[in-house]
Amino acid sequence: MEADRPLWERFRDPGIARALVARVRVRVARELGGHVSLMEVCGTHTVAISRSGIRAALRDAVTLVSGPGCPVCVTSPEDVDAMVALAESGLTVLTFGDMMRVPGSSTSLEAVRARGGRVRLAYSPMDAVSYAASHPDEQVVFLAVGFETTAPGVALAVAQARELPLANFSIYPAHKLIPPALRALLDQEVGVQGFLLPGHVSTVIGRRALAFLAEEYRLPAVIAGFEPVDILMAIDRITHMLVRGEAEVVNAYPRAVREEGNTLAQRAMWSCFAPADAAWRGLGPIPGSGLGLRDGWEDLDACRRYGVWAQPAGAMRTGCRCGDVLRGLLLPPRCPLFARVCTPAAPQGPCMVSSEGACAAYYRYERGDGDDGPQGAGAAGPR
Amino acid sequence: MTAPKGQVLLAHGDGGLLTHRLISEVFLPQLGNPVLARLEDAAVLELEGCRLAFTTDSFVVRPLFFPGGDIGRLAVCGTVNDLSMVGARPLYLSAGFLLEEGLDLEVLERVVASMCSAAAEAGVRVVAGDTKVVERGSVDGVFINTAGLGVVPPALRMGPETVRAGDRLLVSGPVGEHALAVVLARGDLEIESTIRSDCAPLNGLVGDIMTQCPGALRFMRDPTRGGLATVACEMAVACGLDFYLLEDGIPLTEEAGALCDLLGLDPLYLANEGKFLAVVDRDQADRVLEICRAHPLGAGAALVGEARSGRGQAYLVTALGGTRRLDLPAGAQFPRIC
Amino acid sequence: MCLAVPVRVLTRDGDWGEVESSGTRLRAALHFVPEARPGDWVLVHAGVAIALLDEEEARESLAFLEELSTPHGS
């Protein structure tokens, strides 16, 4: 057992982080023409990069473009509408807190709750199962959102509900898969030179499942953890590969990620889910990028049970250019909807839905100094 | 002015962006006057040669009882603290009860007993009251409104206009504990923790600073809804100066930090009920810190930054040396998975 | 994308266990980390352990990093 502090906390060490910042800045200035553009795929990376001040510390040297990696923000308005319809029909809807403010075409779960709808928060999918077990008079629907990290746990909950058995529990399946989304993104032009890959998705799917980025697309990519040192170490590795003209998928989070991932979690996920086509907010439909309940498990599908289906995407959201923003091809202010139709209070695309999304950050920037503060403020900061 | 559209959301009461909009678009245009427009925790009124502080607050919390406090203690401390933040000595409270038909009398009695002991702790008396009972479902058990009256020392000069560039920022203790204790007490999340609400009356601590170091306190707010980041933004706007907070300096207990990591919450935006953020005269800051640390409610106090000339914005300087702007939250935080 | 934090396994009873991080305790699903024993650290996401943390790997990463942050010649 470790003496006092868990070993993992040393990945927060500001001294090591500052050394990495300096190293990356020097390398980019001397050997990479002064600037590189990278994409962080994962929304939790986006938050960590912003909160820790990495974005500001690397300003001018490294542009970090936020990719499609917030599973909640990419939930399509049509799916949100269906979730809202379930909540409005008198069922009890349990959800991760992230979903509460994600807008459908006209309203959000938070607004439904304000009007008296039964919308409750859950920390874990298993909480939803225990809620259903202790409230047999309510029909309980769990909103199954999340990437490969979350889906295995939902599979456990579904299996638990079947085993008990619970007649009043079902899920709204809206999971998304990362590799098909990355392919869809890369099959068109992208404006970034390397990828920071999601560490926790990778714990489940493994490095191997992401190796195609280098093998097929010749892009350097690094799987990263979530402490500041983890993220900077990954950026350091990507820039190192860029200097040498190498393209590999490197696992820089080996304390948690294995080559083949967590095969038990994968098995659990595939035992009740099968790949399905899914619509991503901002990116549109991507074949095989979602999860539906497998044959034999359909009775746990809230859509079938209550006859509530996501309507096919209408024409109403035309004009949203989040897809291009996500590919690093377009700056948010160039989008025709930006700050006119699309604002943080009435977000249209995922980049505005997430408070850390590219458009939301630009929106703040346009109206003040943005999330990174005034130029040079860091250097002049209080001692 | 066009009438605001839509319906009231819970987020309108979170102290963030929507609350501000409600105040500026609905309340101030109709009820506004120079005293209200200051938007301080309490109004300071000159009445026939006497300076009085006057405030009101309503309390709704689910559950009614949580580790470290309950709605009764909250109702007393919240109003005592609002008075303390303008430098007043809190004296009298009123208490209005909205009771739900069917409420157990035993519950009500516990709430009132708790109010009584909090009032004794703060040295205030409840001198007026009101009771209304409403039909089942119209309120959730008990709602309490309190108003408070205190006296402000005649010579006291405190408020945003007294703040100077170079003044220091002081937080009276670790942040986020009240919100975390309440979230867990709701029982939606099957998580256990040792965290307790920090709910406490701050008049004793503020009084110690005012008597031992007169003139050192320039401007204070208690970071309740919206947390430390929100009051820092509001105070910076009121002063017309930029506030720089050092992330490393902001006190946070290990327990609260771990729970925030688990639930994806930002402790800077979580409610406190027994803390203040104060702007302190630069030259007396160390002395004020000493006084705080000598008081049980200020043992975890820390100097967390400074005010600088600027445009009325708040910034956080991270451990890496990066600076990011703090914004008003778009509603209370929900536990996240991503 | 996916928030997961290191927690220590306190007790294990079949596929379930109690885990802890600085005073925060919760019941977690340990189905996917069959090798985890009390005292081990796992990554938990939404109440489900998704990986056993490998201290040896962490030490190697840190050794490399500490070398990097030590100024040359010292």
Side-chain angles (χ1 to χ4, degrees):
Chain A
M1 186 124 37
E2 283 304 304
D4 285 288
R5 313 292 316 137
L7 188 60
W8 337 110
E9 288 195 1
R10 294 183 33 211
F11 289 92
R12 294 182 178 179
D13 186 306
I16 299 177
R18 280 192 294 263
L20 284 165
V21 165
R23 186 158 115 141
V24 168
R25 292 194 69 103
V26 168
R27 179 183 294 143
V28 171
R30 290 193 190 150
E31 301 178 71
L32 290 169
H35 181 260
V36 293
S37 234
L38 309 178
M39 176 178 287
E40 88 271 1
V41 172
C42 166
T44 306
H45 275 150
T46 307
V47 174
I49 286 166
S50 189
R51 265 199 204 164
S52 63
I54 290 177
R55 204 180 293 286
L58 290 177
R59 187 204 312 267
D60 305 333
V62 181
T63 299
L64 288 155
V65 177
S66 306
C70 163
V72 170
C73 310
V74 298
T75 303
S76 72
E78 294 75 23
D79 275 320
V80 177
D81 288 346
M83 295 169 179
V84 161
L86 289 168
E88 281 178 334
S89 68
L91 309 173
T92 303
V93 167
L94 275 92
T95 178
F96 298 128
D98 325 43
M99 274 310 300
M100 290 294 282
R101 295 204 180 97
V102 178
S105 52
S106 63
T107 190
S108 66
L109 291 163
E110 183 183 37
V112 172
R113 188 173 72 170
R115 294 198 294 265
R118 270 204 288 246
V119 179
R120 299 180 59 94
L121 298 185
Y123 165 67
S124 144
M126 268 67 78
D127 293 353
V129 174
S130 23
Y131 183 86
S134 55
H135 296 79
D137 49 330
E138 295 176 30
Q139 292 295 318
V140 175
V141 179
F142 179 69
L143 305 181
V145 294
F147 291 126
E148 290 92 335
T149 323
T150 316
V154 175
L156 285 183
V158 166
Q160 231 185 347
R162 154 93 31 115
E163 201 180 307
L164 278 169
L166 282 180
N168 64 333
F169 178 86
S170 58
I171 67 166
Y172 185 94
H175 286 298
K176 304 277 188 291
L177 302 173
I178 280 293
L182 285 178
R183 283 181 186 278
L185 209 63
L186 289 167
D187 285 339
Q188 300 179 45
E189 186 198 352
V190 291
V192 296
Q193 294 148 272
F195 279 79
L196 200 66
L197 294 173
H200 292 147
V201 163
S202 303
T203 60
V204 172
I205 67 174
R207 191 206 70 91
R208 188 65 231 149
L210 293 162
F212 70 93
L213 284 167
E215 290 162 6
E216 296 172 38
Y217 296 93
R218 300 293 308 152
L219 279 165
V222 177
I223 295 167
F226 295 85
E227 302 294 355
V229 167
D230 285 315
I231 294 168
L232 286 162
M233 191 161 60
I235 295 172
D236 180 65
R237 284 301 286 275
I238 299 172
T239 54
H240 180 72
M241 284 192 271
L242 285 172
V243 169
R244 300 166 66 111
E246 294 168 354
E248 273 181 66
V249 173
V250 173
N251 176 10
Y253 195 27
R255 65 183 186 276
V257 175
R258 327 274 180 254
E259 180 68 11
E260 303 301 330
N262 189 322
T263 48
L264 286 173
Q266 292 166 21
R267 205 178 302 159
M269 177 167 90
W270 296 123
S271 71
C272 65
F273 289 117
D277 298 345
W280 294 54
R281 187 189 295 258
L283 292 177
I286 301 175
S289 70
L291 291 174
L293 282 161
R294 205 171 257 293
D295 292 347
W297 293 86
E298 313 93 321
D299 58 310
L300 282 147
D301 187 332
C303 298
R304 284 166 196 261
R305 196 176 286 188
Y306 304 108
V308 172
W309 303 94
Q311 298 303 309
M316 110 204 136
R317 229 151 286 272
T318 49
C320 171
R321 301 278 304 274
C322 272
D324 292 334
V325 173
L326 288 172
R327 289 184 181 92
L329 295 178
L330 183 81
L331 287 176
R334 296 270 168 84
C335 170
L337 304 188
F338 181 77
R340 286 183 274 276
V341 182
C342 184
T343 63
Q348 304 296 309
C351 308
M352 193 67 92
V353 169
S354 159
S355 63
E356 301 287 349
C359 295
Y362 255 91
Y363 187 84
R364 285 200 299 264
Y365 184 84
E366 291 292 295
R367 295 154 57 253
D369 290 311
D371 64 341
D372 290 338
Q375 291 286 336
R383 268 141 285 278
Chain B
M1 197 194 77
T2 54
K5 281 180 281 226
Q7 286 168 315
V8 172
L9 301 179
L10 281 174
H12 279 106
D14 285 338
L17 219 50
L18 291 182
T19 308
H20 279 252
R21 209 176 280 171
L22 214 53
I23 293 170
S24 65
E25 292 173 10
V26 180
F27 298 127
L28 281 181
Q30 309 207 56
L31 300 173
N33 57 61
V35 182
L36 185 63
R38 286 176 66 90
L39 298 177
E40 291 198 49
D41 285 335
V44 176
L45 308 167
E46 307 273 349
L47 285 176
E48 306 189 356
C50 189
R51 291 177 85 197
L52 291 180
F54 179 45
T55 191
T56 183
D57 209 338
S58 299
F59 298 85
V60 294
V61 62
R62 186 176 60 82
L64 296 173
F65 302 90
F66 45 85
D70 56 75
I71 191 168
R73 182 171 173 81
L74 211 53
V76 170
C77 296
T79 293
V80 163
N81 292 347
D82 281 348
L83 293 171
S84 305
M85 292 305 106
V86 296
R89 186 157 58 88
L91 292 172
Y92 300 109
L93 305 188
S94 72
F97 294 87
L98 284 169
L99 307 177
E100 184 184 17
E101 173 194 25
L103 176 76
D104 273 339
L105 276 173
E106 184 261 343
V107 168
L108 181 61
E109 227 166 293
R110 274 175 69 197
V111 168
V112 175
S114 172
M115 287 182 85
C116 175
S117 75
E121 204 177 317
V124 297
R125 281 190 290 170
V126 177
V127 292
D130 177 53
T131 309
K132 295 282 183 292
V133 178
V134 295
E135 279 173 30
R136 193 185 276 268
S138 299
V139 300
D140 187 4
V142 188
F143 292 172
I144 303 177
N145 172 274
T146 46
L149 206 57
V151 286
V152 182
L156 184 76
R157 281 191 69 244
M158 230 174 105
E161 62 283 350
T162 68
V163 176
R164 302 283 169 265
D167 284 346
R168 307 288 297 275
L169 306 177
L170 181 145
V171 176
S172 66
V175 296
E177 289 166 336
H178 173 72
L180 292 171
V182 170
V183 162
L184 292 194
R186 278 186 195 150
D188 294 342
L189 316 170
E190 294 178 21
I191 296 171
E192 280 175 56
S193 165
T194 47
I195 292 170
R196 297 167 63 79
S197 166
D198 59 347
C199 183
L202 291 167
N203 52 332
L205 173 58
V206 175
D208 279 5
I209 302 171
M210 287 174 57
T211 48
Q212 294 177 48
C213 216
L217 289 173
R218 303 257 203 239
F219 182 30
M220 310 171 74
R221 293 287 301 272
D222 58 338
T224 54
R225 294 171 310 180
L228 187 68
T230 302
V231 287
C233 292
E234 291 168 349
M235 289 170 78
V237 169
C239 297
L241 295 169
D242 284 349
F243 279 24
Y244 281 81
L245 279 78
L246 286 171
E247 186 181 36
D248 271 3
I250 297 169
L252 179 69
T253 63
E254 214 180 285
E255 288 79 3
L259 188 54
C260 283
D261 285 347
L262 188 78
L263 298 178
L265 303 174
D266 185 340
L268 298 186
Y269 288 94
L270 293 177
N272 309 275
E273 290 293 345
K275 298 291 168 353
F276 59 74
L277 173 63
V279 185
V280 184
D281 173 31
R282 173 175 42 187
D283 299 325
Q284 302 183 77
D286 291 329
R287 176 75 190 114
V288 173
L289 182 64
E290 244 172 70
I291 298 166
C292 279
R293 288 191 172 161
H295 192 283
L297 293 177
L303 292 168
V304 296
E306 66 181 19
R308 290 198 224 153
S309 52
R311 292 183 289 163
Q313 283 163 352
Y315 297 97
L316 187 74
V317 182
T318 69
L320 266 179
T323 301
R324 70 179 168 97
R325 186 168 146 197
L326 295 172
D327 285 304
L328 291 180
Q333 302 180 82
F334 295 120
R336 301 187 288 125
I337 56 144
C338 59
Chain C
M1 132 171 346
C2 306
L3 214 64
V5 294
V7 293
R8 184 149 45 196
V9 178
L10 293 178
T11 57
R12 174 163 199 147
D13 181 10
D15 282 334
W16 296 89
E18 194 178 20
V19 298
E20 191 258 0
S21 167
S22 298
T24 294
R25 287 178 179 215
L26 62 146
R27 187 167 173 262
L30 302 179
H31 301 64
F32 307 143
V33 287
E35 65 278 47
R37 296 285 165 266
D40 286 342
W41 288 82
V42 295
L43 267 184
V44 75
H45 166 77
V48 179
I50 53 169
L52 180 72
L53 284 168
D54 186 330
E55 297 204 12
E56 215 33 63
E57 290 283 5
R59 269 199 199 88
E60 272 177 40
S61 304
L62 286 165
F64 161 75
L65 289 165
E66 269 150 21
E67 195 177 323
L68 177 83
S69 63
T70 312
H72 290 296
S74 67

